[in-house]
Amino acid sequence: MELKKVREKLEKMRYISENRITESYMLVQKLQDKYNLATKVLRKAKEERDLLIKGRDIAIIEVEELRKEVSRSDEHREAPQYFICPISLVIKKVNRERNRRLYRVSSQN
């Protein structure tokens, strides 16, 4: 009788331990799956980051080239009239007239 009780207790303990082992394996498998998924997501994020960095670098180079082109074309270009202050236009006109008069006076002498 005593032996039977011990065997039943032993069987129960074995059953509990096997269940715990099975649960542990299942938990390990779930954790491995999550780890693998996280690794894939991280790898993809790094690839996207690298593509974005390359795109940014290309865009910076293109902007620099466009700035150079614009600065070259703007060197000999005057601002449109609506960009110039009306007072500046009057001063410019007065200076032109003064320069013409001075040229006439100097050329007559």
Side-chain angles (χ1 to χ4, degrees):
M1 186 79 151
E2 191 73 27
L3 186 60
K4 188 176 179 182
K5 285 182 181 181
V6 170
R7 281 187 183 164
E8 286 176 4
K9 195 173 184 180
L10 185 62
E11 275 300 311
K12 188 176 180 181
M13 289 173 59
R14 187 183 316 161
Y15 176 77
I16 291 173
S17 70
E18 286 177 357
N19 279 343
R20 286 185 181 169
I21 290 171
T22 303
E23 288 173 2
S24 296
Y25 282 130
M26 289 173 62
L27 181 62
V28 166
Q29 186 62 43
K30 283 181 184 179
L31 290 173
Q32 284 178 341
D33 292 344
K34 286 183 180 182
Y35 174 79
N36 291 336
L37 181 62
T39 304
K40 287 179 185 178
V41 169
L42 179 62
R43 189 178 309 120
K44 185 168 182 148
K46 284 181 179 180
E47 289 172 1
E48 288 178 14
R49 180 203 61 196
D50 292 343
L51 287 174
L52 288 171
I53 289 172
K54 286 178 185 178
R56 182 203 62 192
D57 293 344
I58 291 170
I60 288 171
I61 291 169
E62 289 176 357
V63 166
E64 288 174 357
E65 289 173 357
L66 289 172
R67 281 185 183 158
K68 287 177 186 176
E69 287 179 24
V70 167
S71 68
R72 277 188 237 127
S73 67
D74 283 348
E75 286 175 358
H76 305 292
R77 201 159 125 208
E78 197 171 306
Q81 294 299 319
Y82 55 86
F83 274 69
I84 299 175
C85 173
I87 297 170
S88 298
L89 291 174
V90 171
I91 292 171
K92 198 173 189 180
K93 187 175 182 180
V94 168
N95 284 339
R96 260 191 258 133
E97 289 298 320
R98 185 174 48 91
N99 288 340
R100 284 185 192 148
R101 280 191 227 124
L102 287 174
Y103 179 73
R104 285 186 201 142
V105 169
S106 67
S107 63
Q108 287 176 358
N109 291 335

